[in-house]
Amino acid sequence: QVQLVESGGGSVQAGGTLLLSCEASQYAYSMAWFRQSPGKKREGVARVTGQGNTLYDDSLKGRFTISRDNSKKILYLQMNDLKPEDTGMYYCAAGDRHSYRIEAGYFDYWGQGTQVTVSP
């Protein structure tokens, strides 16, 4: 059982930046960020494997960067040029299978989420 704890969310103005972190209780091969906005389904943001192979939602690539520190068991999401539509709850997810897409079914463990609010 992998326990995940997110941090780093907050309120920023459009154009601002945030760095989200997710601390894991143990190593997991595949880790990802998902987000859910009010009234919308949870969507995949980015995924990184233990070897550093990354995958992004096409609409976010260029503004968001996922990375991980395997020695510290921490996952990061650097978010730049934030927009109001980025507002939502951001969740960290982990699993031991290789995920070919950023879909919830590939991940077995989830954090409680951290809220990101972007004002115009």
Side-chain angles (χ1 to χ4, degrees):
Q1 186 86 5
V2 180
Q3 296 180 336
L4 303 168
V5 179
E6 302 98 333
S7 61
S11 297
V12 297
Q13 290 188 322
T17 64
L18 281 174
L19 175 64
L20 303 185
S21 300
C22 171
E23 189 168 351
S25 61
Q26 62 191 66
Y27 174 85
Y29 173 74
S30 188
M31 299 188 76
W33 289 98
F34 287 77
R35 69 182 184 183
Q36 187 165 17
S37 303
K40 295 186 177 181
K41 292 172 57 177
R42 188 173 298 190
E43 60 178 356
V45 173
R47 180 273 280 146
V48 61
T49 67
Q51 290 88 356
N53 182 276
T54 58
L55 185 64
Y56 292 90
D57 177 273
D58 286 342
S59 67
L60 301 174
K61 194 172 184 178
R63 294 194 298 123
F64 289 12
T65 303
I66 191 171
S67 62
R68 63 190 289 173
D69 184 328
N70 290 330
S71 64
K72 296 180 181 179
K73 299 188 289 291
I74 299 178
L75 175 72
Y76 300 100
L77 184 69
Q78 176 67 49
M79 304 189 294
N80 299 328
D81 189 24
L82 283 161
K83 304 177 186 301
E85 52 263 40
D86 294 320
T87 293
M89 188 69 79
Y90 283 68
Y91 298 92
C92 173
D96 291 321
R97 292 169 286 173
H98 185 80
S99 58
Y100 295 94
R101 293 179 293 278
I102 317 169
E103 293 181 356
Y106 285 103
F107 300 92
D108 301 309
Y109 309 104
W110 294 83
Q112 294 299 306
T114 185
Q115 177 68 36
V116 171
T117 303
V118 185
S119 58

